[in-house]
Amino acid sequence: MKIFIYAIAACIFSFSSFAAEMMPKNDFEKVQGQYEKVGSISTSGETSAADAKTELSELADKKGGDIYVLTSGNTKNKMHATADVYKKK
């Protein structure tokens, strides 16, 4: 039974490791040549920064991206953010 639980946990962590990750713009500028832009994404109406980050990561995954870099954000009453999506060359 313990082996079964460990196997499920390993699967969950391995699937989550494929999610696109946010990269700060100043870090991205250092490695920009290793990536190609695959599109832009946006989210709005989220109630927390964590929800907005999750939404952006899911949208970046759908575009086939490895990372996303925020291009704008607004926190008036509801979260709104846009980002560019990149994948490794």
Side-chain angles (χ1 to χ4, degrees):
M1 183 67 167
K2 286 183 181 180
I3 294 173
F4 180 70
I5 293 171
Y6 289 128
I8 290 177
C11 288
I12 290 170
F13 289 118
S14 67
F15 288 126
S16 65
S17 68
F18 293 113
E21 294 185 17
M22 183 175 67
M23 182 179 283
K25 190 173 187 172
N26 58 345
D27 290 345
F28 177 71
E29 289 172 351
K30 297 173 188 173
V31 295
Q32 187 172 0
Q34 299 174 19
Y35 291 90
E36 63 181 311
K37 186 175 177 179
V38 294
S40 297
I41 53 176
S42 66
T43 184
S44 62
E46 302 298 333
T47 56
S48 73
D51 291 343
K53 186 176 177 181
T54 299
E55 172 84 13
L56 289 171
S57 179
E58 290 172 359
L59 292 170
D61 287 343
K62 289 179 183 176
K63 289 201 174 271
D66 297 317
I67 63 166
Y68 59 97
V69 179
L70 290 178
T71 55
S72 69
N74 187 337
T75 58
K76 291 183 182 177
N77 297 335
K78 300 266 184 174
M79 299 295 297
H80 172 78
T82 60
D84 290 331
V85 180
Y86 298 87
K87 72 175 185 176
K88 197 104 168 154
K89 288 184 181 178

Coordinates of all heavy atoms in Angstrom, one line a residue:
M1 N 0.8 -1.2 0.0 CA 0.0 0.0 0.0 C 0.9 1.3 0.0 O 0.5 2.2 -0.7 CB -0.9 0.0 1.2 CG -1.9 1.1 1.3 SD -3.1 1.0 -0.1 CE -4.2 2.2 0.4
K2 N 2.0 1.3 0.8 CA 2.8 2.4 0.8 C 3.4 2.7 -0.6 O 3.6 3.8 -1.0 CB 3.9 2.2 1.8 CG 3.5 2.4 3.3 CD 4.6 2.2 4.2 CE 4.1 2.3 5.7 NZ 5.3 2.2 6.6
I3 N 3.8 1.6 -1.3 CA 4.4 1.8 -2.6 C 3.4 2.4 -3.5 O 3.7 3.3 -4.3 CB 4.9 0.4 -3.2 CG1 6.0 -0.1 -2.3 CG2 5.3 0.5 -4.6 CD1 6.4 -1.5 -2.7
F4 N 2.1 2.1 -3.4 CA 1.1 2.6 -4.3 C 1.0 4.1 -4.0 O 0.9 5.0 -4.9 CB -0.3 1.9 -4.0 CG -1.4 2.5 -4.8 CD1 -1.5 2.2 -6.2 CD2 -2.4 3.2 -4.2 CE1 -2.5 2.7 -6.9 CE2 -3.5 3.7 -4.9 CZ -3.5 3.5 -6.3
I5 N 1.0 4.5 -2.7 CA 0.9 5.9 -2.4 C 2.1 6.7 -2.9 O 1.9 7.8 -3.4 CB 0.7 6.1 -0.8 CG1 -0.6 5.5 -0.4 CG2 0.8 7.5 -0.4 CD1 -0.8 5.4 1.1
Y6 N 3.3 6.2 -2.7 CA 4.5 6.8 -3.3 C 4.4 7.0 -4.8 O 4.8 8.0 -5.3 CB 5.7 6.1 -2.9 CG 6.0 6.2 -1.4 CD1 6.3 5.0 -0.6 CD2 6.1 7.4 -0.8 CE1 6.6 5.1 0.7 CE2 6.4 7.5 0.6 CZ 6.6 6.4 1.3 OH 6.9 6.4 2.7
A7 N 3.9 6.0 -5.5 CA 3.8 6.0 -6.9 C 2.8 7.1 -7.4 O 3.1 7.9 -8.3 CB 3.3 4.7 -7.5
I8 N 1.7 7.3 -6.7 CA 0.8 8.3 -7.0 C 1.4 9.7 -6.7 O 1.3 10.6 -7.6 CB -0.6 8.1 -6.2 CG1 -1.3 6.9 -6.8 CG2 -1.4 9.4 -6.3 CD1 -2.6 6.6 -6.0
A9 N 2.1 9.8 -5.6 CA 2.7 11.1 -5.3 C 3.8 11.5 -6.3 O 3.9 12.6 -6.8 CB 3.3 11.0 -3.9
A10 N 4.5 10.5 -6.8 CA 5.5 10.7 -7.8 C 4.9 11.2 -9.1 O 5.4 12.1 -9.8 CB 6.4 9.5 -8.0
C11 N 3.8 10.6 -9.5 CA 3.1 11.0 -10.7 C 2.6 12.4 -10.6 O 2.7 13.2 -11.5 CB 1.9 10.1 -11.0 SG 2.4 8.4 -11.6
I12 N 2.0 12.8 -9.5 CA 1.5 14.1 -9.3 C 2.6 15.1 -9.4 O 2.5 16.1 -10.1 CB 0.8 14.2 -7.9 CG1 -0.5 13.4 -7.9 CG2 0.5 15.7 -7.6 CD1 -1.2 13.3 -6.6
F13 N 3.7 14.9 -8.7 CA 4.8 15.8 -8.8 C 5.5 15.9 -10.2 O 5.9 16.9 -10.7 CB 5.9 15.5 -7.8 CG 5.4 15.8 -6.4 CD1 5.3 14.9 -5.4 CD2 5.1 17.1 -6.0 CE1 4.9 15.2 -4.1 CE2 4.6 17.5 -4.8 CZ 4.5 16.5 -3.8
S14 N 5.5 14.8 -10.9 CA 6.1 14.8 -12.2 C 5.2 15.5 -13.2 O 5.7 16.2 -14.1 CB 6.4 13.4 -12.7 OG 5.2 12.7 -13.0
F15 N 3.9 15.4 -13.1 CA 3.0 16.2 -14.0 C 3.1 17.7 -13.7 O 3.1 18.5 -14.6 CB 1.5 15.7 -13.8 CG 1.3 14.4 -14.4 CD1 0.7 13.3 -13.7 CD2 1.6 14.1 -15.8 CE1 0.5 12.1 -14.2 CE2 1.4 12.8 -16.3 CZ 0.8 11.9 -15.6
S16 N 3.2 18.0 -12.4 CA 3.2 19.4 -12.1 C 4.5 20.1 -12.5 O 4.6 21.3 -12.6 CB 2.9 19.7 -10.6 OG 4.0 19.1 -9.8
S17 N 5.6 19.3 -12.7 CA 6.9 19.9 -13.0 C 6.9 20.3 -14.5 O 7.8 21.0 -14.9 CB 8.0 18.8 -12.8 OG 7.9 17.8 -13.7
F18 N 5.9 20.0 -15.3 CA 5.8 20.4 -16.7 C 5.1 21.7 -16.8 O 5.0 22.2 -17.9 CB 5.2 19.3 -17.5 CG 6.0 18.0 -17.6 CD1 5.5 16.9 -17.0 CD2 7.2 18.1 -18.3 CE1 6.3 15.7 -17.1 CE2 7.9 16.9 -18.4 CZ 7.5 15.7 -17.8
A19 N 4.6 22.3 -15.8 CA 3.8 23.5 -15.9 C 4.8 24.7 -16.2 O 5.9 24.7 -15.7 CB 3.1 23.8 -14.5
A20 N 4.3 25.6 -17.0 CA 5.1 26.7 -17.4 C 5.3 27.6 -16.1 O 4.5 27.7 -15.3 CB 4.4 27.6 -18.4
E21 N 6.5 28.1 -16.0 CA 6.8 28.9 -14.8 C 7.1 30.4 -15.2 O 7.5 30.7 -16.3 CB 8.1 28.4 -14.2 CG 7.9 27.0 -13.7 CD 9.2 26.5 -12.9 OE1 10.0 27.3 -12.6 OE2 9.3 25.3 -12.7
M22 N 6.7 31.2 -14.2 CA 7.0 32.7 -14.4 C 8.4 33.0 -14.2 O 9.1 32.4 -13.3 CB 6.1 33.5 -13.4 CG 6.3 35.0 -13.6 SD 5.2 35.9 -12.5 CE 5.9 35.6 -10.9
M23 N 9.0 33.8 -15.1 CA 10.4 34.2 -15.0 C 10.4 35.7 -14.9 O 9.8 36.4 -15.8 CB 11.2 33.7 -16.2 CG 12.7 34.1 -16.1 SD 13.7 33.5 -17.4 CE 13.9 31.8 -17.0
P24 N 11.1 36.3 -13.9 CA 11.2 37.7 -13.8 C 11.9 38.3 -15.1 O 12.8 37.7 -15.7 CB 12.1 38.0 -12.6 CG 11.9 36.7 -11.8 CD 11.7 35.6 -12.8
K25 N 11.5 39.5 -15.5 CA 12.0 40.1 -16.7 C 13.5 40.2 -16.7 O 14.2 40.0 -17.7 CB 11.3 41.4 -17.0 CG 11.6 42.0 -18.3 CD 10.7 43.2 -18.6 CE 10.9 43.7 -20.0 NZ 9.9 44.7 -20.4
N26 N 14.1 40.7 -15.6 CA 15.5 40.9 -15.6 C 16.3 39.5 -15.7 O 17.4 39.5 -16.3 CB 15.9 41.6 -14.3 CG 15.5 41.0 -13.0 OD1 14.7 40.1 -13.0 ND2 16.1 41.4 -11.9
D27 N 15.7 38.4 -15.2 CA 16.3 37.1 -15.3 C 16.2 36.7 -16.8 O 17.1 36.1 -17.4 CB 15.7 36.1 -14.4 CG 16.1 36.3 -13.0 OD1 17.0 37.1 -12.7 OD2 15.4 35.7 -12.1
F28 N 15.0 36.9 -17.4 CA 14.8 36.5 -18.8 C 15.8 37.2 -19.7 O 16.3 36.6 -20.7 CB 13.4 36.8 -19.2 CG 13.1 36.4 -20.6 CD1 13.0 35.1 -21.0 CD2 12.9 37.4 -21.6 CE1 12.8 34.8 -22.4 CE2 12.7 37.1 -22.9 CZ 12.6 35.8 -23.3
E29 N 16.1 38.4 -19.5 CA 17.0 39.2 -20.4 C 18.3 38.5 -20.5 O 19.0 38.6 -21.5 CB 17.1 40.6 -19.9 CG 15.8 41.4 -20.2 CD 15.8 42.8 -19.5 OE1 16.7 43.1 -18.8 OE2 14.8 43.6 -19.8
K30 N 18.8 37.8 -19.4 CA 20.1 37.2 -19.4 C 20.1 35.9 -20.3 O 21.1 35.5 -20.7 CB 20.4 36.8 -18.0 CG 20.6 38.0 -17.1 CD 20.8 37.6 -15.6 CE 20.8 38.8 -14.7 NZ 20.9 38.4 -13.3
V31 N 18.9 35.3 -20.5 CA 18.8 34.0 -21.2 C 17.9 34.1 -22.4 O 17.5 33.1 -23.0 CB 18.4 32.8 -20.3 CG1 19.4 32.6 -19.2 CG2 17.0 33.1 -19.7
Q32 N 17.6 35.3 -22.8 CA 16.6 35.5 -23.9 C 16.9 34.7 -25.2 O 16.1 34.2 -25.8 CB 16.5 37.0 -24.2 CG 15.4 37.4 -25.1 CD 15.3 38.9 -25.2 OE1 16.0 39.6 -24.5 NE2 14.3 39.3 -26.1
G33 N 18.2 34.6 -25.5 CA 18.6 33.9 -26.7 C 18.3 32.4 -26.7 O 18.3 31.8 -27.8
Q34 N 18.0 31.9 -25.6 CA 17.7 30.4 -25.5 C 16.2 30.1 -25.7 O 15.8 29.0 -25.7 CB 18.1 29.9 -24.1 CG 19.6 30.0 -23.8 CD 19.9 29.6 -22.4 OE1 19.1 28.9 -21.7 NE2 21.0 30.1 -21.9
Y35 N 15.4 31.2 -25.9 CA 14.0 31.0 -26.0 C 13.4 31.6 -27.2 O 14.0 32.6 -27.7 CB 13.3 31.6 -24.7 CG 13.5 30.8 -23.5 CD1 14.6 31.2 -22.7 CD2 12.7 29.8 -23.1 CE1 14.9 30.5 -21.5 CE2 13.0 29.1 -21.9 CZ 14.1 29.4 -21.1 OH 14.3 28.7 -20.0
E36 N 12.3 31.1 -27.7 CA 11.5 31.8 -28.8 C 10.1 32.1 -28.3 O 9.5 31.3 -27.6 CB 11.5 30.9 -30.0 CG 10.8 29.6 -29.9 CD 10.9 28.8 -31.1 OE1 10.5 29.3 -32.2 OE2 11.2 27.6 -31.0
K37 N 9.6 33.2 -28.7 CA 8.2 33.6 -28.3 C 7.2 32.8 -29.0 O 7.3 32.6 -30.2 CB 8.0 35.1 -28.5 CG 6.7 35.7 -28.0 CD 6.7 37.2 -28.2 CE 5.3 37.7 -27.7 NZ 5.2 39.1 -27.9
V38 N 6.2 32.3 -28.3 CA 5.1 31.5 -28.9 C 3.8 32.2 -28.8 O 2.8 31.6 -29.2 CB 5.1 30.1 -28.3 CG1 6.3 29.3 -28.7 CG2 4.9 30.0 -26.8
G39 N 3.7 33.3 -28.1 CA 2.5 34.0 -28.0 C 2.4 34.9 -26.8 O 3.3 35.1 -26.0
S40 N 1.2 35.5 -26.6 CA 0.9 36.3 -25.4 C -0.4 35.8 -24.7 O -1.2 35.2 -25.4 CB 0.7 37.7 -25.8 OG 1.9 38.3 -26.4
I41 N -0.5 36.0 -23.4 CA -1.6 35.6 -22.7 C -2.1 36.7 -21.7 O -1.3 37.6 -21.5 CB -1.3 34.3 -21.9 CG1 -0.1 34.5 -21.0 CG2 -1.1 33.1 -22.8 CD1 0.3 33.3 -20.1
S42 N -3.3 36.6 -21.2 CA -3.8 37.5 -20.2 C -4.8 36.9 -19.4 O -5.4 35.9 -19.7 CB -4.4 38.8 -20.9 OG -5.5 38.4 -21.6
T43 N -5.0 37.4 -18.2 CA -6.0 37.0 -17.3 C -6.6 38.2 -16.6 O -6.0 39.2 -16.5 CB -5.4 36.0 -16.2 OG1 -6.4 35.5 -15.4 CG2 -4.4 36.7 -15.3
S44 N -7.9 38.1 -16.2 CA -8.5 39.2 -15.5 C -9.7 38.6 -14.7 O -10.1 37.5 -14.9 CB -9.1 40.2 -16.5 OG -10.1 39.6 -17.3
G45 N -10.0 39.4 -13.7 CA -11.1 38.9 -12.8 C -10.7 38.0 -11.7 O -11.5 37.6 -10.9
E46 N -9.4 37.7 -11.6 CA -8.9 36.8 -10.5 C -8.9 37.6 -9.2 O -8.7 38.8 -9.2 CB -7.5 36.3 -10.8 CG -7.4 35.5 -12.1 CD -8.3 34.3 -12.1 OE1 -8.6 33.7 -11.1 OE2 -8.7 33.9 -13.2
T47 N -9.2 36.9 -8.1 CA -9.3 37.6 -6.8 C -7.9 37.7 -6.0 O -7.8 38.4 -5.0 CB -10.3 37.0 -5.9 OG1 -10.0 35.6 -5.8 CG2 -11.7 37.2 -6.6
S48 N -7.0 36.9 -6.4 CA -5.7 36.9 -5.7 C -4.5 36.8 -6.7 O -4.7 36.3 -7.9 CB -5.6 35.8 -4.7 OG -5.5 34.5 -5.4
A49 N -3.3 37.2 -6.3 CA -2.2 37.0 -7.2 C -1.9 35.5 -7.5 O -1.5 35.2 -8.6 CB -1.0 37.7 -6.5
A50 N -2.1 34.7 -6.5 CA -1.9 33.2 -6.7 C -2.8 32.7 -7.7 O -2.4 31.9 -8.6 CB -2.1 32.5 -5.4
D51 N -4.1 33.1 -7.7 CA -5.0 32.7 -8.8 C -4.6 33.1 -10.1 O -4.7 32.4 -11.1 CB -6.4 33.2 -8.4 CG -7.1 32.5 -7.2 OD1 -6.5 31.4 -6.8 OD2 -8.0 33.0 -6.7
A52 N -4.2 34.4 -10.2 CA -3.7 34.9 -11.5 C -2.5 34.2 -12.0 O -2.4 33.8 -13.2 CB -3.4 36.4 -11.4
K53 N -1.6 33.9 -11.1 CA -0.4 33.1 -11.5 C -0.7 31.7 -12.0 O -0.2 31.3 -13.0 CB 0.6 33.0 -10.3 CG 1.9 32.4 -10.6 CD 2.8 32.5 -9.4 CE 4.2 31.8 -9.8 NZ 5.1 31.8 -8.6
T54 N -1.6 31.1 -11.3 CA -2.1 29.7 -11.8 C -2.7 29.8 -13.1 O -2.5 29.0 -14.0 CB -3.1 29.1 -10.7 OG1 -2.4 29.0 -9.5 CG2 -3.6 27.8 -11.2
E55 N -3.6 30.8 -13.3 CA -4.3 31.0 -14.6 C -3.3 31.2 -15.7 O -3.3 30.6 -16.8 CB -5.3 32.1 -14.5 CG -5.9 32.5 -15.8 CD -7.1 31.7 -16.2 OE1 -7.6 31.0 -15.3 OE2 -7.5 31.8 -17.4
L56 N -2.3 32.1 -15.5 CA -1.3 32.4 -16.5 C -0.5 31.1 -16.8 O -0.2 30.9 -18.0 CB -0.4 33.5 -16.1 CG -1.0 34.9 -16.0 CD1 -0.1 35.9 -15.4 CD2 -1.4 35.4 -17.4
S57 N -0.1 30.4 -15.8 CA 0.7 29.2 -16.1 C -0.1 28.2 -16.9 O 0.4 27.6 -17.8 CB 1.0 28.5 -14.7 OG 1.8 27.3 -14.9
E58 N -1.4 28.0 -16.6 CA -2.2 27.1 -17.4 C -2.4 27.6 -18.9 O -2.3 26.8 -19.8 CB -3.6 27.0 -16.8 CG -3.6 26.2 -15.5 CD -4.9 26.2 -14.7 OE1 -5.9 26.9 -15.2 OE2 -5.0 25.6 -13.6
L59 N -2.5 28.9 -19.0 CA -2.6 29.4 -20.4 C -1.3 29.2 -21.2 O -1.3 28.9 -22.4 CB -3.1 30.9 -20.4 CG -4.5 31.2 -19.9 CD1 -4.7 32.7 -19.6 CD2 -5.5 30.6 -20.8
A60 N -0.2 29.4 -20.5 CA 1.1 29.3 -21.1 C 1.3 27.8 -21.5 O 1.9 27.5 -22.6 CB 2.2 29.7 -20.2
D61 N 0.9 26.9 -20.7 CA 0.9 25.5 -21.0 C 0.2 25.1 -22.3 O 0.7 24.4 -23.1 CB 0.4 24.6 -19.8 CG 1.3 24.5 -18.6 OD1 2.5 24.9 -18.7 OD2 0.8 24.1 -17.6
K62 N -1.0 25.7 -22.4 CA -1.8 25.5 -23.6 C -1.2 26.0 -24.9 O -1.4 25.4 -25.9 CB -3.2 26.1 -23.4 CG -4.1 25.4 -22.4 CD -5.4 26.1 -22.2 CE -6.2 25.4 -21.2 NZ -7.5 26.1 -20.9
K63 N -0.3 27.0 -24.7 CA 0.4 27.5 -25.9 C 1.7 26.7 -26.1 O 2.4 27.0 -27.1 CB 0.7 29.0 -25.7 CG -0.6 29.9 -25.9 CD -0.2 31.3 -26.2 CE -1.4 32.1 -26.5 NZ -1.8 32.1 -27.8
G64 N 2.0 25.8 -25.3 CA 3.2 25.0 -25.4 C 4.5 25.7 -24.9 O 5.6 25.3 -25.2
G65 N 4.3 26.7 -24.0 CA 5.4 27.4 -23.4 C 6.0 26.7 -22.2 O 5.4 26.0 -21.5
D66 N 7.3 27.1 -22.0 CA 8.1 26.6 -20.9 C 8.0 27.7 -19.8 O 8.0 27.4 -18.6 CB 9.5 26.3 -21.2 CG 9.6 25.2 -22.2 OD1 8.9 24.2 -22.1 OD2 10.4 25.3 -23.2
I67 N 8.1 28.9 -20.2 CA 8.1 30.0 -19.2 C 7.2 31.1 -19.7 O 6.8 31.2 -20.9 CB 9.5 30.6 -19.0 CG1 10.0 31.2 -20.4 CG2 10.5 29.6 -18.4 CD1 11.3 32.1 -20.2
Y68 N 6.8 32.1 -18.8 CA 6.1 33.3 -19.2 C 6.7 34.4 -18.5 O 7.2 34.3 -17.3 CB 4.6 33.2 -19.0 CG 4.1 32.9 -17.6 CD1 3.7 33.9 -16.8 CD2 4.1 31.6 -17.1 CE1 3.3 33.7 -15.5 CE2 3.7 31.4 -15.8 CZ 3.3 32.4 -15.0 OH 2.9 32.2 -13.7
V69 N 6.7 35.6 -19.1 CA 7.3 36.8 -18.5 C 6.2 37.9 -18.5 O 5.6 38.2 -19.5 CB 8.5 37.3 -19.4 CG1 9.1 38.6 -18.8 CG2 9.5 36.2 -19.5
L70 N 5.9 38.4 -17.3 CA 4.9 39.4 -17.1 C 5.2 40.6 -17.9 O 6.3 41.1 -17.9 CB 4.7 39.7 -15.6 CG 4.0 38.7 -14.8 CD1 4.0 39.2 -13.3 CD2 2.7 38.3 -15.2
T71 N 4.2 41.2 -18.6 CA 4.4 42.4 -19.3 C 3.6 43.5 -18.7 O 3.9 44.7 -18.9 CB 4.0 42.3 -20.8 OG1 2.7 41.8 -20.9 CG2 4.9 41.3 -21.5
S72 N 2.5 43.2 -17.9 CA 1.8 44.2 -17.2 C 0.9 43.6 -16.1 O 0.7 42.4 -16.2 CB 0.8 45.0 -18.2 OG -0.2 44.2 -18.6
G73 N 0.5 44.4 -15.2 CA -0.3 43.9 -14.1 C -1.1 45.0 -13.5 O -0.6 46.1 -13.4
N74 N -2.3 44.7 -12.9 CA -3.1 45.7 -12.3 C -3.8 45.0 -11.1 O -4.3 43.9 -11.3 CB -4.1 46.3 -13.3 CG -4.9 47.4 -12.8 OD1 -5.0 47.6 -11.6 ND2 -5.4 48.3 -13.7
T75 N -3.9 45.7 -10.0 CA -4.5 45.1 -8.8 C -5.7 45.9 -8.3 O -6.0 45.8 -7.2 CB -3.5 44.9 -7.7 OG1 -2.9 46.2 -7.4 CG2 -2.4 43.9 -8.1
K76 N -6.4 46.7 -9.1 CA -7.5 47.4 -8.7 C -8.7 46.4 -8.5 O -9.1 45.8 -9.5 CB -8.0 48.4 -9.7 CG -7.0 49.6 -9.8 CD -7.6 50.6 -10.8 CE -6.6 51.8 -10.9 NZ -7.1 52.7 -11.9
N77 N -9.1 46.2 -7.3 CA -10.3 45.3 -6.9 C -10.1 43.9 -7.4 O -10.3 42.9 -6.7 CB -11.6 45.8 -7.4 CG -11.9 47.2 -6.8 OD1 -11.5 47.5 -5.7 ND2 -12.7 47.9 -7.5
K78 N -9.7 43.7 -8.6 CA -9.5 42.3 -9.2 C -8.2 42.3 -9.9 O -7.7 43.3 -10.4 CB -10.6 42.0 -10.2 CG -12.0 41.9 -9.7 CD -12.4 40.6 -9.2 CE -13.8 40.6 -8.8 NZ -14.3 39.3 -8.5
M79 N -7.5 41.1 -10.0 CA -6.2 41.0 -10.7 C -6.4 41.0 -12.2 O -7.4 40.4 -12.7 CB -5.6 39.7 -10.2 CG -5.3 39.6 -8.8 SD -4.1 40.7 -8.2 CE -2.6 40.3 -9.1
H80 N -5.5 41.7 -12.9 CA -5.4 41.6 -14.3 C -3.9 41.6 -14.7 O -3.2 42.4 -14.1 CB -6.1 42.9 -15.0 CG -5.8 42.9 -16.4 ND1 -6.5 42.2 -17.3 CD2 -4.9 43.6 -17.2 CE1 -6.1 42.4 -18.6 NE2 -5.1 43.3 -18.5
A81 N -3.5 40.7 -15.5 CA -2.1 40.6 -15.9 C -2.0 40.1 -17.3 O -2.9 39.3 -17.8 CB -1.4 39.6 -15.0
T82 N -1.0 40.5 -18.0 CA -0.6 40.0 -19.3 C 0.8 39.5 -19.3 O 1.6 40.0 -18.5 CB -0.8 41.1 -20.4 OG1 0.1 42.2 -20.1 CG2 -2.2 41.6 -20.5
A83 N 1.1 38.6 -20.2 CA 2.5 38.0 -20.2 C 2.8 37.5 -21.6 O 1.9 37.2 -22.4 CB 2.6 36.8 -19.2
D84 N 4.1 37.4 -21.9 CA 4.6 36.8 -23.1 C 5.0 35.4 -22.8 O 5.6 35.2 -21.7 CB 5.7 37.6 -23.7 CG 5.3 38.9 -24.3 OD1 4.1 39.1 -24.7 OD2 6.1 39.9 -24.3
V85 N 4.7 34.5 -23.7 CA 5.0 33.1 -23.5 C 6.2 32.6 -24.4 O 6.2 33.0 -25.6 CB 3.8 32.2 -23.8 CG1 4.1 30.7 -23.6 CG2 2.6 32.6 -23.0
Y86 N 7.2 31.9 -23.8 CA 8.3 31.5 -24.5 C 8.6 30.0 -24.3 O 8.2 29.4 -23.3 CB 9.6 32.2 -24.0 CG 9.5 33.7 -24.2 CD1 8.9 34.5 -23.3 CD2 10.0 34.3 -25.4 CE1 8.9 35.9 -23.5 CE2 10.0 35.7 -25.6 CZ 9.4 36.5 -24.6 OH 9.3 37.8 -24.8
K87 N 9.1 29.3 -25.3 CA 9.6 28.0 -25.2 C 11.1 27.9 -25.5 O 11.6 28.7 -26.3 CB 8.7 27.0 -26.0 CG 9.0 27.1 -27.5 CD 8.2 26.0 -28.2 CE 8.5 26.0 -29.7 NZ 7.8 24.9 -30.4
K88 N 11.7 26.9 -25.0 CA 13.1 26.7 -25.2 C 13.4 26.3 -26.7 O 12.6 25.6 -27.3 CB 13.6 25.6 -24.3 CG 15.1 25.5 -24.1 CD 15.4 26.0 -22.7 CE 16.9 25.7 -22.4 NZ 17.4 26.6 -21.5
K89 N 14.4 26.9 -27.3 CA 14.7 26.6 -28.7 C 15.2 25.2 -28.8 O 15.8 24.6 -28.0 CB 15.8 27.6 -29.2 CG 15.2 29.0 -29.4 CD 16.3 29.9 -30.0 CE 15.8 31.3 -30.2 NZ 16.8 32.2 -30.7

